[in-house]
Amino acid sequence: MKKYRLLAMLSAAMILLAGCGSDDSSSSAEADKPADGTSAVTDASDGSEAEPAKDKPASERNSKFVETADYPKLKELYKDDFKFGCAISTTIQNTPEYSELVCEQFNSYTAENAMKPEATLDQKEALSDPDKYNEHVPLNFSNMKTCLDYAQEHGFAVRGHTLVWHSQTPEWFFCVGFQKKNGTVDRDTMLKRMENYIKDVLEWTNENYPGLIYAWDVVNEAISDSKGMRKESKWYEVVGEDFVQKAFEYARKYAAADVKLFYNDYNAYQSRKRKDIIEMLQPIVDAGNIDGMGLQSHVGLYLNPIEFKTAIKDYYKKLGLEIHITELDLGKDKSEDWETKQEELYKKLFTAFKELKADGVPLTSVTVWGLTDGMSWRKGENALLFNDDLSRKPAFDGIVAAAG
Ligand code: G3I
């Protein structure tokens, strides 16, 4: 047993030192409505600032974590199917054992919070000269740099998340003089601010990290939970319902040719929402300004995998779009045997994903929304693949089994 542990430690150390090679793989009645965000500069799951971890050899591995180096590697099992991603936080980046596991398992990186507008817009600088910055709001790329440096160093490909969203985008960004007390600006000013935000982010990331970001969620969650477009959105309120088309027009104008432009939403598999999304995206497809559809997939054990598979096929057949599963997590139910049901559903979903590929559907990326159950935004729902001590859950084994 001792020799085995030593071998596991040595291989873990080699992975840590070598970084995470990414192979050249190609490529809900969902959970409750996602929480409305507040400022998200740190991702600490407990809300505390994540302390950068001191470099420590695997032999000093924190005893609260089990060894993970000998787990099957999801990115390798699915390398001929799609990129396999994880939502990554500063806590994960700064904790060696977390970092080691994400590097071992995944080859696609999505910043859980640190590449969102609230983490990038610079109100302090904007307030220093509101007239100068009225149409071109200053940005602070330090959070994005932390993400992209890590992804580059460890060989991940990156999904950019997200440019235009009603949440985690500060209200001052829509206001005269960048202060709520002054009320919102007019449509034309907001369109300039939108265009310049998209231009600056796409140009800065391409200049500093060319080829690292393979897709951007240009617009996130623009369709309502009931019917039509989401009206409780500063973008909808100030610009109007064509804000989605304008966002994609600007993104196409400034994105490098190798960056795919996605629309991203939750409950996107449900027939009513799917119909509204397809109706909204059709003119954007016709204009050539969108490449893909992101289905977040914050779902539960109620999900019918056949309905899910039908929805994915529908987006492809009707819009001709590439498909990403962008934020997958499967919340438990109240049944005694939820863990077995969760394992079986993860297995059925990944079996369906492989079947879709075999049927010619361009499903090119699947991302789980976090690493361990304790880190998940779905507190207490045990929705992810690893326990808090990094031991693998039956959910993980279900995905391994689906790989065949
Ligand atoms: O950064 C602050 C920190 O300074 C403070 O101490 C702490 C305690 O208040 O809060 C921290 O911000 C939190 C942030 O996550 C970073 O941890 C916010 O309160 C919290 O609301 C935010 O939640 C995020 C949520 O989006 C906000 O909408 C979740 O982590 C994130 O997983 C979730 O992700 C969204 C996707 O982007 C879009 N799809 C839905 C999905 C789930 O809501």
Side-chain angles (χ1 to χ4, degrees):
M1 187 53 183
K2 253 192 169 170
K3 198 174 116 225
Y4 165 74
R5 270 183 65 77
L6 187 62
L7 271 177
M9 276 197 266
L10 283 174
S11 59
M14 277 152 64
I15 289 167
L16 202 59
L17 291 172
C20 321
S22 78
D23 39 25
D24 53 1
S25 61
S26 63
S27 208
S28 128
E30 262 178 318
D32 294 341
K33 203 167 51 164
D36 273 333
T38 60
S39 75
V41 176
T42 67
D43 287 293
S45 48
D46 59 6
S48 60
E49 192 73 25
E51 285 298 314
K54 314 270 175 301
D55 279 346
K56 51 184 183 177
S59 54
E60 286 174 32
R61 187 183 185 82
N62 187 318
S63 58
K64 75 180 181 182
F65 298 122
V66 301
E67 289 294 342
T68 58
D70 60 344
Y71 294 170
K73 309 267 179 287
L74 296 175
K75 65 182 180 181
E76 285 162 20
L77 291 172
Y78 288 92
K79 69 179 182 313
D80 298 326
D81 300 292
F82 35 73
K83 286 182 175 65
F84 210 129
C86 185
I88 295 178
S89 64
T90 45
T91 300
I92 289 174
Q93 295 186 196
N94 292 333
T95 309
E97 293 83 0
Y98 292 152
S99 176
E100 193 176 279
L101 180 55
V102 286
C103 287
E104 290 161 354
Q105 293 296 326
F106 305 105
N107 51 25
S108 178
Y109 175 117
T110 303
E112 186 172 10
N113 290 292
M115 289 176 62
K116 293 173 177 174
E118 70 178 7
T120 310
L121 287 161
D122 188 341
Q123 185 182 30
K124 185 163 176 282
E125 179 56 26
L127 288 171
S128 71
D129 192 338
D131 292 338
K132 171 184 167 190
Y133 293 121
N134 183 48
E135 294 184 351
H136 198 149
V137 180
L139 307 185
N140 178 330
F141 288 104
S142 57
N143 290 312
M144 223 173 260
K145 183 178 184 312
T146 302
C147 299
L148 298 177
D149 283 348
Y150 177 90
Q152 190 162 60
E153 183 191 340
H154 295 293
F156 288 94
V158 175
R159 290 198 85 258
H161 178 75
T162 180
L163 295 173
V164 172
W165 187 23
H166 67 280
S167 180
Q168 291 185 273
T169 303
E171 192 175 341
W172 63 259
F173 182 43
F174 299 88
C175 294
V176 175
F178 309 117
Q179 296 187 68
K180 284 194 256 188
K181 65 181 172 51
N182 301 333
T184 54
V185 295
D186 61 29
R187 169 184 157 92
D188 289 344
T189 303
M190 202 61 226
L191 281 172
K192 285 269 185 243
R193 289 184 183 180
M194 175 198 270
E195 177 168 9
N196 284 316
Y197 180 83
I198 292 173
K199 176 179 186 294
D200 288 353
V201 170
L202 293 180
E203 289 183 348
W204 183 87
T205 49
N206 190 50
E207 275 151 33
N208 293 283
Y209 302 89
L212 185 65
I213 298 178
Y214 66 99
W216 268 99
D217 290 333
V218 175
V219 175
N220 196 43
E221 302 175 11
I223 295 292
S224 85
D225 292 331
S226 51
K227 175 153 183 43
M229 292 196 72
R230 172 189 299 275
K231 306 244 183 339
E232 70 282 2
S233 155
K234 279 291 180 213
W235 286 113
Y236 185 91
E237 193 186 308
V238 179
V239 173
E241 67 175 32
D242 67 337
F243 82 88
V244 179
Q245 283 175 270
K246 299 304 282 183
F248 277 97
E249 181 191 314
Y250 301 145
R252 182 62 88 208
K253 184 175 172 184
Y254 299 108
D258 59 352
V259 178
K260 298 286 179 70
L261 306 179
F262 275 70
Y263 174 73
N264 191 46
D265 214 330
Y266 64 91
N267 279 351
Y269 69 97
Q270 292 174 347
S271 54
R272 190 285 306 171
K273 193 160 184 178
R274 183 162 90 234
K275 180 175 168 297
D276 286 349
I277 290 172
I278 287 170
E279 196 174 301
M280 176 183 72
L281 295 183
Q282 188 62 64
I284 303 170
V285 168
D286 297 342
N289 290 336
I290 183 171
D291 303 298
M293 173 65 204
L295 292 93
Q296 290 183 12
S297 313
H298 295 295
V299 289
L301 304 187
Y302 50 78
L303 184 74
N304 176 338
I306 308 296
E307 181 192 358
F308 197 68
K309 191 177 165 186
T310 303
I312 293 171
K313 225 177 237 184
D314 203 28
Y315 284 112
Y316 173 56
K317 281 196 310 196
K318 292 202 173 117
L319 297 173
L321 294 178
E322 194 170 326
I323 306 292
H324 286 180
I325 304 299
T326 55
E327 307 181 14
L328 180 59
D329 46 35
L330 293 183
K332 69 181 178 185
D333 59 19
K334 295 191 175 359
S335 61
E336 282 293 304
D337 61 341
W338 67 266
E339 208 160 27
T340 305
K341 285 163 69 177
Q342 187 184 58
E343 175 183 9
E344 282 161 5
L345 184 54
Y346 267 117
K347 182 177 178 182
K348 282 181 183 156
L349 285 180
F350 279 82
T351 301
F353 297 160
K354 288 178 72 75
E355 288 165 353
L356 284 164
K357 289 293 290 192
D359 292 349
V361 175
L363 171 61
T364 55
S365 176
V366 176
T367 295
V368 289
W369 201 246
L371 187 64
T372 68
D373 284 347
M375 286 181 196
S376 173
W377 72 289
R378 296 179 71 175
K379 293 287 170 260
E381 294 190 62
N382 298 88
L384 293 171
L385 309 185
F386 300 98
N387 294 307
D388 294 346
D389 65 355
L390 303 188
S391 55
R392 51 201 271 193
K393 291 168 60 184
F396 175 84
D397 297 333
I399 298 175
V400 170

